Amino acid sequence: MEKNMQGNRNHPLIAAILWTCFLTLVAVAVYLSFQDGEEAKALGRQFIQFLAGRKYQETEAVSQTQMVDLTYEVRQTGRAALFFLLGIFGTVAMHVSFKRCNWVIKTGVTAAVLVAIAFLTEKLKIYIPSRHYDYDEMMISIISVIAGFAIVSVVTLLFYVLKGIFQMLATAIHS
């Protein structure tokens, strides 16, 4: 009985760590999305030059076209990874923090919040000098955040289903 009571207890430290990670990722997304266009270019320039040197073996002269292509590739990969992690951490934080809440409600609210973050970090760029809204980039953000969300949601749903099945089997065996 005592073991069962401990299993149902909330884990505030784990929830706090998950929310801290999630909010840190949101802050990174907001910072990168809402900085001035020139600052954004300067921030990644050295990293892109380093990658270009490694990709083209430093023996070839890197053309401007190759630099633009590599910059686009790195930015979109970084965007996808950031929003994928946002989806994972946001969903896990919700599921850990609100264990007693209905799974469907908790999952729906989580999806809405995550999609809103992905949408707004791109759409609000129209108000930032030298930045622009890009539908394709917004879709990369939304698809990535939903992919992270979906993985966690499917795993938690399977956990609840399997837990229910095993509880039914245990009840049937003991009766």
Side-chain angles (χ1 to χ4, degrees), residues 1 7 12 28 35 41-42 49 51 53 56 59 91 93 104 107 118-119 135-136 151 155 158 160 162 165 167:
M1 178 79 171
V28 168
Q35 65 182 334
K41 289 177 187 172
Q49 288 172 341
L51 288 178
Y56 299 109
T59 56
T91 308
V104 173
T107 301
F119 173 77
Y135 177 80
D136 292 337
I151 289 170
V155 168
L158 287 175
Y160 287 127
L162 291 174
I165 290 171
Q167 285 176 345

Side-chain angles (χ1 to χ4, degrees), residues 20-37:
T20 301
C21 291
F22 173 69
L23 293 174
T24 300
L25 289 169
V26 170
V28 168
V30 167
Y31 173 75
L32 293 174
S33 294
F34 297 154
Q35 65 182 334
D36 181 79

Side-chain angles (χ1 to χ4, degrees), residues 40-88:
K41 289 177 187 172
L43 182 65
R45 187 172 291 130
Q46 286 181 328
F47 180 67
I48 300 296
Q49 288 172 341
F50 168 77
L51 288 178
R54 300 219 15 148
K55 182 175 182 175
Y56 299 109
Q57 310 301 331
E58 295 190 33
T59 56
E60 303 174 33
V62 180
S63 72
Q64 185 64 26
T65 303
Q66 290 171 320
M67 286 297 286
V68 168
D69 290 345
L70 184 60
T71 300
Y72 181 79
E73 182 181 323
V74 168
R75 286 180 181 264
Q76 299 318 315
T77 302
R79 171 188 308 282
L82 175 62
F83 281 94
F84 180 73
L85 290 173
L86 265 172
I88 289 173

Side-chain angles (χ1 to χ4, degrees), residues 78-175:
R79 171 188 308 282
L82 175 62
F83 281 94
F84 180 73
L85 290 173
L86 265 172
I88 289 173
F89 278 98
T91 308
V92 172
M94 285 290 284
H95 283 283
V96 168
S97 298
F98 302 101
K99 285 183 180 183
R100 295 180 188 252
C101 186
N102 179 293
W103 185 88
V104 173
I105 293 170
K106 167 173 45 180
T107 301
V109 168
T110 303
V113 168
L114 291 171
V115 169
I117 291 169
F119 173 77
L120 290 172
T121 54
E122 185 62 35
K123 188 64 176 177
L124 293 176
K125 287 181 182 178
I126 61 175
Y127 300 108
I128 298 170
S130 70
R131 296 300 294 262
H132 64 282
Y133 163 77
D134 188 309
Y135 177 80
D136 292 337
E137 290 181 5
M138 182 192 66
M139 291 310 297
I140 290 170
S141 300
I142 290 174
I143 289 167
S144 299
V145 82
I146 290 299
F149 158 83
I151 289 170
V152 174
S153 295
V154 167
V155 168
T156 58
L157 180 60
L158 287 175
F159 173 78
Y160 287 127
V161 168
L162 291 174
K163 183 179 175 183
I165 290 171
F166 286 128
Q167 285 176 345
M168 284 178 16
L169 289 173
T171 304
I173 290 171
H174 290 298
S175 58

